[in-house]
Amino acid sequence: MLYRCLVGAVLTLNLVVPAVALDSTEVAIRDAVNRGQEDALALLERAVNINSGTMNVDGVREVGRLFSQAFTDAGFATRWADGDSFGRGGHLIAERGTRGPKVLLIGHLDTVFAKDSSFQRFTRIDEHHAAGPGITDMKGGNVIILQAAKALASVGVLDELQLRVILTGDEESRGRPLEVANKELQAAADWADIALGFEDGDGDPETVVTARRSSSEWSLTVQGKPAHSSQIFRDDIGFGATLEAARILDAWRVALSAIPNLTFNPGLLMAGTDIEHDDENTRGSVFGKNNVIAQSAVVTGGMRAISPQQIDRAETLMRDIVADSLAQTSAQLSFNHGYPPMAPSAGNDDLLKQYSAISEELGYGPVIAVDPRRAGAADISFVASRVDGALDGLGLMGEGGHTVDEVADLRTLPQQTQRAAILLYRIALKSR
């Protein structure tokens, strides 16, 4: 990839020549990050080698203990928020500081790789790359949070900030009920001025995330009048459940597909005389005959939107289309909203400008906002509307996330840590 070539050109043990002079404290922060890379890589390997698939609650807790000790050693007060009440392992909270801007730093402990996955270990591929479950999504990001804080502490400026770190244990599969699973995260957001997320974004260090789309589910149930198929289209017989479902889906396609950053996807469709729908496991069974008009249909799917206003607009359009039923049919539509959107904002854009300027001064070049369609929902989605500014995608970069080909470009570990540490320092400076 192009960015790997660019990173390789500017990094030699991460001792870069900045395009614009950093101040003396920022130079010291950069150098402290470089000195900490051996410890950072060792912690990353240890974390990756602990399976912490979301439903492996013991593994999530073990990774939590590993990072809890690391943050305690760095001078943070840590505590564990147990996840029994929302069906998950729990969350790690680490706090430090009593003065200065309040900054929430977000990571997560869990991965998509189950306890019985074949992909279990950190493996060094070559000098610059390593593979492992969750190495970029997002144990590398957790390490960056810690190392950035340690670099600030080493030059005596960490206590000019109030930091709250939350490493969730259910980012890949959210616990329920949401209000319980998100209690610590949203309380921290209400406390904070700024939120920074350390996901890997789209894997490119030339981009960060200033906006994420929501993740919602919807369910459509349709009823028609069963009769012999030869009588379909009669006014008193109607069009049946299958054609009504098809009408609704195509009308949604026409109405919604032209709205920027809005998508909807029908993932499951069943129609026939008798339907058994196992909603929890997204499967079912259907009986129907070619000479009988379908009595029932069920369609389930997902929707993603860039703002609450866009969600409201889409819901209104979808419900209006559902209500315009074909003869002798009826339909009901319901929504289950999971992750809210991280909507664009002036505060987010301001953080991006600061971050990009830091990147250029470090010699890494400018950073731009990633297309929201390339950034899925994440923990920061639950907090972005509650803070003055939010930025995500600050973690360890690579490719193949959520697959057994997940590989990190280790050259971006010090790079991303330097950028984050100096951003935190400048946030502190602005409050003086």
Side-chain angles (χ1 to χ4, degrees), residues 1-16 33-34 37 41 44 124 126-130 144 205 364 395-398 408-419:
M1 297 174 66
L2 175 59
Y3 82 81
R4 285 186 173 169
C5 297
L6 292 172
V7 171
V10 298
L11 286 174
T12 303
L13 296 178
N14 227 50
L15 301 177
V16 299
V33 169
N34 291 335
Q37 284 311 290
L41 286 168
L44 179 61
R124 198 65 180 255
D126 57 37
E127 180 183 0
H128 300 306
H129 301 90
I144 288 171
Y364 300 129
L396 181 61
M397 298 298 166
D409 185 338
L410 299 176
R411 293 170 294 186
T412 67
L413 183 58
Q415 172 184 343
Q416 297 295 92
T417 309
Q418 290 171 9
R419 287 166 160 175

Side-chain angles (χ1 to χ4, degrees), residues 250-267:
D250 192 56
W252 285 352
R253 177 190 64 81
V254 172
L256 303 178
S257 61
I259 300 175
N261 290 316
L262 178 71
T263 55
F264 85 97
N265 174 61

